Amino acid sequence: MLPISKLLPADSPRLSGEDVQHVRMLADSDADLPPILVHRQTLRVIDGMHRLRAAVLRGQEEIACRLFDGGEDAAFVIAVETNIAHGLPLSLADREAAAARILRSHPQWSDRAIAAVTGLSAKTVGVIRRGATVDQPQLHSRIGRDGRVRPVNGADGRRRAGELFALRPDASLREVARRAGISPGTARDVRERIRRGEDPIPPRQRGNRPRPEPPSPERELRRLMSVRGGPLRDRETILRNLRRDPSVRFTDSGRSLLRWLDARATSPDGWETVVHSIAPHCAYAIADLACAIAEEWLAVAEHLRQRAESSA
């Protein structure tokens, strides 16, 4: 619990500030509001200005807080993430402005990584990046959502590697790879091409096009689900119908199946209230965990559907 008088207003991604009607709705509710998130070093609110204003209207002098240790740039990223995940949604203008600011503070992040934070598409982030001012640092590589560093343009990296090998033919692969922003394997391929008298850039990369990032696991799963076609039935309806089926409820194997499903077919209730507390460096790991679970169930679905179709 911290005194409200000690807290500083948020460095908010909301361009128009707090919504007065939303503040009044929170103040008039009888519910206990979740703790707000505060930057420990500055006592500036990161997430929860609506709840803070509501607490003031309620006449509170203290408010429950969670404290964040980290830099101010990281605090702003968390502010955007949390406002995307819950509460009053950010407008498109808010999210685009936030993406432009994160591009300035984290230019090494990929378009897809920034899109995941701001709730925009990677294509939109790319447009914002291209429209940035000329004094923004131009990097040769970016960090993707999976934490891996990838060159923005593979042809440029190969070209730099070729120049380095021309200056120092005895340079190590690791050193050239590091200075050119490419992998040691790519550096080896460049060296072999130069030794054979070939262009260090393969024909397919001579179009000077940036290397696209691979599709995210989430997008791939949604693509696989879209192939199936048709809306999915509600989870509770499916389980309720199975429990009523005589071939299931009146057999030992059927009852075992129901017990097995009851333990595994639960929904991740309450995820909206916990995602904002996940540190950014853990978010991708938890997202990968969710995708891994989804992939396993997708494999079960494909196997069962194939069995059903073959016996039909």
Side-chain angles (χ1 to χ4, degrees):
M1 300 296 293
L2 290 179
I4 292 177
S5 60
K6 298 289 186 181
L7 301 179
L8 297 177
D11 181 13
S12 175
R14 299 183 188 277
L15 300 177
S16 57
E18 295 82 48
D19 185 284
V20 176
Q21 290 184 342
H22 189 64
V23 170
R24 288 174 177 167
M25 180 192 71
L26 294 177
D28 292 340
S29 69
D30 295 328
D32 292 330
L33 301 178
I36 65 174
L37 183 62
V38 175
H39 189 228
R40 185 190 296 271
Q41 287 83 349
T42 62
L43 292 185
R44 185 175 296 279
V45 176
I46 296 175
D47 176 51
M49 279 302 300
H50 287 106
R51 281 167 279 164
L52 179 64
R53 302 296 190 202
V56 173
L57 289 181
R58 288 177 173 182
Q60 296 177 211
E61 296 183 355
E62 294 182 326
I63 190 170
C65 302
R66 293 182 299 108
L67 299 179
F68 169 75
D69 293 295
E72 294 186 17
D73 288 339
F76 180 77
V77 171
I78 291 178
V80 177
E81 283 186 308
T82 52
N83 280 281
I84 290 296
H86 70 91
L88 193 66
L90 295 178
S91 69
L92 177 60
D94 292 338
R95 289 179 280 136
E96 289 179 342
R101 176 169 170 178
I102 294 173
L103 278 167
R104 291 193 296 271
S105 62
H106 298 78
Q108 74 279 16
W109 283 14
S110 71
D111 293 346
R112 194 179 300 281
I114 296 176
V117 170
T118 57
L120 298 169
S121 68
K123 181 179 180 180
T124 300
V125 175
V127 172
I128 295 172
R129 188 191 294 272
R130 289 191 293 274
T133 56
V134 295
D135 58 348
Q136 185 165 328
Q138 300 298 311
L139 304 179
H140 299 303
S141 60
R142 295 177 190 159
I143 302 175
R145 293 183 61 196
D146 56 3
R148 296 177 59 187
V149 179
R150 296 181 176 88
V152 175
N153 190 308
D156 288 344
R158 283 176 171 270
R159 187 177 296 109
R160 287 193 300 275
E163 294 169 354
L164 291 170
F165 279 126
L167 292 173
R168 290 185 52 199
D170 59 342
S172 70
L173 295 175
R174 191 173 299 279
E175 178 186 358
V176 171
R178 178 179 58 80
R179 295 181 62 182
I182 59 178
S183 69
T186 301
R188 179 182 293 106
D189 183 68
V190 169
R191 186 177 65 182
E192 294 302 319
R193 286 177 175 274
I194 292 175
R195 287 175 176 175
R196 295 194 300 266
E198 299 175 1
D199 192 320
I201 304 173
R204 67 180 183 276
Q205 293 187 6
R206 292 174 194 168
N208 200 32
R209 292 176 298 180
R211 176 184 174 182
E213 293 188 45
S216 66
E218 295 89 343
R219 178 172 295 180
E220 184 64 16
L221 282 169
R222 289 196 180 277
R223 184 189 68 79
L224 292 172
M225 291 301 299
S226 65
V227 172
R228 175 184 179 274
L232 294 177
R233 287 186 293 167
D234 177 71
R235 178 199 321 259
E236 292 300 325
T237 301
I238 296 172
L239 290 174
R240 184 167 58 251
N241 291 340
L242 284 173
R243 293 188 186 102
R244 293 174 178 174
D245 191 313
S247 65
V248 176
R249 64 184 299 186
F250 295 131
T251 62
D252 291 338
S253 60
R255 287 190 291 269
S256 296
L257 172 64
L258 289 176
R259 287 193 295 269
W260 187 85
L261 288 174
D262 283 338
R264 291 166 175 82
T266 57
S267 62
D269 293 329
W271 65 268
E272 299 93 340
T273 62
V274 299
V275 291
H276 65 275
S277 65
I278 299 172
H281 70 279
C282 296
Y284 293 137
I286 298 174
D288 288 342
L289 174 62
C291 284
I293 296 171
E295 286 176 338
E296 291 178 358
W297 273 107
L298 188 59
V300 173
E302 291 173 342
H303 176 75
L304 292 173
R305 202 171 299 280
Q306 289 170 2
R307 277 187 56 192
E309 291 173 353
S310 62
S311 61

